[in-house]
Amino acid sequence: MAARYDRAITVFSPDGHLFQVEYAQEAVKKGSTAVGIRGKDIVVLGVEKKSVAKLQEERTVRKICALDDHVCMAFAGLTADARIVINRARVECQSHRLTVEDPVTVEYITRHIATLKQRYTQSNGRRPFGISALIVGFDCDGTPRLYQTDPSGTYHAWKANAIGRSAKTVREFLEKNYTEESIATDNDAIKLAIKALLEVVQSGGKNIELAVIRRNQSLKLLESKEIETLVTEIEKEKEEEAEKKKPKKST
Amino acid sequence: MALASVLQSESVDFSNYGRQRRGFASGLYETELGLESVGGDSLSFALRTSCSNGDGPDRKIEFLHGTTTLAFKFQHGVIVAVDSRATAGSYIASQTVKKVIEINPYLLGTMAGGAADCSFWERLLARQCRVYELRNKERISVAAASKLLANMVYQYKGMGLSMGTMVCGWDKTGPGLYYVDSEGNRVCGDLFAVGSGSMYAYGIVDSGLKQKDLTVEEACDLGRRAIYQATYRDAYSGGQVNLYHVHSEGWTRVSQSDVLMLHQQYQSEKA
């Protein structure tokens, strides 16, 4: 009977792949880009805002969500799946506070989310979650953390990472430009995130949503004005750099 | 309360028969011995001694309400002192009971109430603590350990568990001391004494702790003295005084002193 959910959907292929999980990762690649950067005293999450229909209210769907005062996450992939994962994570954050009398560490909640995702790759009648998540925050002892999970249920810590559409391009940009100097101040870290997103986002600041967590403070979503200001700053800097290079060429 | 109906309380002189509430025991349930915790929260947590009076059902379970266990925080950690007598009514069943359970190298639990209940649940707690340590790569805090124990026994509330334990340890926030019992109480505090001899112990420790900044030696002596005095007056406490000291590196077993030896020692000091 169908009600028994006997059949597992995620089964091994002859050459050892879990195709459902890999298809889920394809779904993630279709989602809008998200980038996460771990600074010294700040963690930054930036997402590409998808263009909103004329009659649609802009603020209904936020891709950056707080899980607790000191942890937040951004995702790429199926929004509906993300809602479920975020709900469970939020409940777990509070359960942890209740039983252990301490806020969660970023690693703990990441592990919880990853375990949840893995469970769905090994269950009857269920498909994997089609999202990758970037989880950022500060631990009790003040260390900033950035973790990434994917549909298979694995998680890793990163200094900076990107997920979603054109994630590879953004990651390469970050690999070139993430240095200890480039994230020296909070502002620099934010600008690096914006620069990374500008690589792949069309039409500039309007389509970027940015959130930051500073040590001992809760999640702050940057207003579009602030983002615009930073974008103009970045473009200025770009022009200045381009001009510096010019005279050298014409000798 | 299921427990109250099982036990009939016969107590030492200072309390009444039956389940009368004492003035200062706000008494959640009937099984109180009317002793407040230090913070003045009017929680009653010490259990009465059981007796076989003949009016009640035959009690074949051996309880350790007749006991004195004590723990207090001080500058250099936590001192845990317990006696070692087990009684069944007026019969002394054993003089060499281990009432301190070593949960792990940095957590201790004391035993008052049902010996089986205490040791079983605390061993289970040890298992949980170890799993926590392995999963999270750091030691469990005393608050979390006591919470786990309290939650475990709360599920059996009303089913006749009898356990009054103090969870003592040292974690990253410093020394930790929690009282947890089978009623579901979980209280943080600086000083607890549990058992029929607790009143006498409180008297000694309260006066001894007036001077702040005890050295380890002084604190150990205070704990030892408090248990000794309790065994001197309380018929249901006696045997040896087992003394532990919990510090930042874990717990150390300081001493095991026979009460009669202590008696002679203190007498000669008086002279």
Side-chain angles (χ1 to χ4, degrees), chain A residues 52-71:
Chain A
V52 155
K54 254 194 188 177
L55 295 172
Q56 190 182 83
E57 296 254 11
E58 226 195 291
R59 272 184 237 137
T60 335
V61 182
R62 283 248 123 97
K63 288 197 52 169
I64 304 178
C65 311
L67 299 179
D68 201 347
D69 289 332
H70 59 296
V71 192

Side-chain angles (χ1 to χ4, degrees), chain B residues 160-181:
Chain B
L161 282 186
S162 166
M163 184 193 80
T165 179
M166 295 179 286
V167 180
C168 327
W170 187 294
D171 58 30
K172 60 182 183 217
T173 58
L177 176 57
Y178 284 82
Y179 169 77
V180 179
D181 74 13

Side-chain angles (χ1 to χ4, degrees), chain A residues 29-151:
Chain A
K29 284 186 200 159
K30 291 218 166 76
S32 50
T33 322
V35 75
I37 294 195
R38 184 185 85 193
K40 291 198 185 134
D41 308 304
I42 192 176
V43 284
V44 188
L45 280 176
V47 294
E48 172 195 356
K49 245 195 305 196
K50 271 210 172 110
S51 44
V52 155
K54 254 194 188 177
L55 295 172
Q56 190 182 83
E57 296 254 11
E58 226 195 291
R59 272 184 237 137
T60 335
V61 182
R62 283 248 123 97
K63 288 197 52 169
I64 304 178
C65 311
L67 299 179
D68 201 347
D69 289 332
H70 59 296
V71 192
C72 78
M73 74 174 249
F75 62 90
L78 300 166
T79 319
D81 286 4
R83 211 173 52 232
I84 303 297
V85 172
I86 290 171
N87 275 341
R88 298 260 187 102
R90 283 174 173 163
V91 171
E92 180 58 27
C93 284
Q94 298 310 310
S95 285
H96 188 274
R97 275 185 192 257
L98 176 61
T99 41
V100 182
E101 292 192 346
D102 252 337
V104 290
T105 58
V106 187
E107 197 265 338
Y108 177 90
I109 194 66
T110 309
R111 199 173 351 124
H112 177 85
I113 292 174
T115 317
L116 173 68
K117 287 186 177 178
Q118 191 280 340
R119 226 175 285 142
Y120 276 64
T121 68
Q122 218 179 6
S123 280
N124 291 333
R126 294 178 183 177
R127 59 162 178 82
F129 285 105
I131 63 161
S132 276
L134 285 173
I135 299 150
V136 295
F138 284 89
D139 287 340
C140 296
D141 58 358
T143 344
R145 305 262 185 215
L146 164 64
Y147 285 90
Q148 185 230 356
T149 64
D150 68 356

Side-chain angles (χ1 to χ4, degrees), chain B residues 3-187:
Chain B
L3 196 53
S5 57
V6 169
L7 301 175
Q8 219 169 47
S9 23
E10 176 203 76
S11 38
V12 203
D13 289 329
F14 53 80
S15 4
N16 310 328
Y17 279 107
R19 301 156 207 137
Q20 249 176 41
R21 299 225 174 138
R22 319 218 81 228
F24 51 95
S26 76
L28 299 164
Y29 299 94
E30 322 277 33
T31 54
E32 23 61 74
L33 219 191
L35 270 175
E36 304 183 46
S37 64
V38 195
D41 317 336
S42 33
L43 268 178
S44 35
F45 48 71
L47 301 164
R48 290 184 188 280
T49 56
S50 62
C51 78
S52 30
N53 251 349
D55 340 41
D58 256 1
R59 246 150 279 107
K60 291 169 189 166
I61 324 164
E62 207 169 277
F63 285 119
L64 288 176
H65 308 165
T67 185
T68 315
T69 58
L70 140 79
F72 62 88
K73 279 194 219 173
F74 72 115
Q75 200 189 15
H76 300 285
V78 190
I79 294 288
V80 183
V82 299
D83 76 318
S84 66
R85 178 176 289 185
T87 51
S90 54
Y91 169 71
I92 296 178
S94 167
Q95 291 269 63
T96 51
V97 179
K98 275 201 74 186
K99 296 189 188 176
V100 173
I101 294 155
E102 297 155 7
I103 297 170
N104 64 37
Y106 54 95
L107 275 180
L108 287 177
T110 62
M111 200 199 282
D117 286 338
C118 287
S119 68
F120 177 80
W121 290 105
E122 291 186 13
R123 290 186 74 205
L124 217 52
L125 177 64
R127 194 235 275 151
Q128 290 281 75
C129 290
R130 180 61 182 150
V131 173
Y132 180 98
E133 222 179 277
L134 288 168
R135 281 193 182 142
N136 296 287
K137 295 175 201 162
E138 65 168 11
R139 285 184 185 174
I140 193 170
S141 63
V142 188
S146 58
K147 197 77 176 255
L148 286 177
L149 181 62
N151 288 340
M152 278 193 279
V153 292
Y154 185 74
Q155 295 182 313
Y156 293 85
K157 189 172 156 76
M159 296 191 206
L161 282 186
S162 166
M163 184 193 80
T165 179
M166 295 179 286
V167 180
C168 327
W170 187 294
D171 58 30
K172 60 182 183 217
T173 58
L177 176 57
Y178 284 82
Y179 169 77
V180 179
D181 74 13
S182 42
E183 305 280 292
N185 286 324
R186 175 179 165 270
V187 189

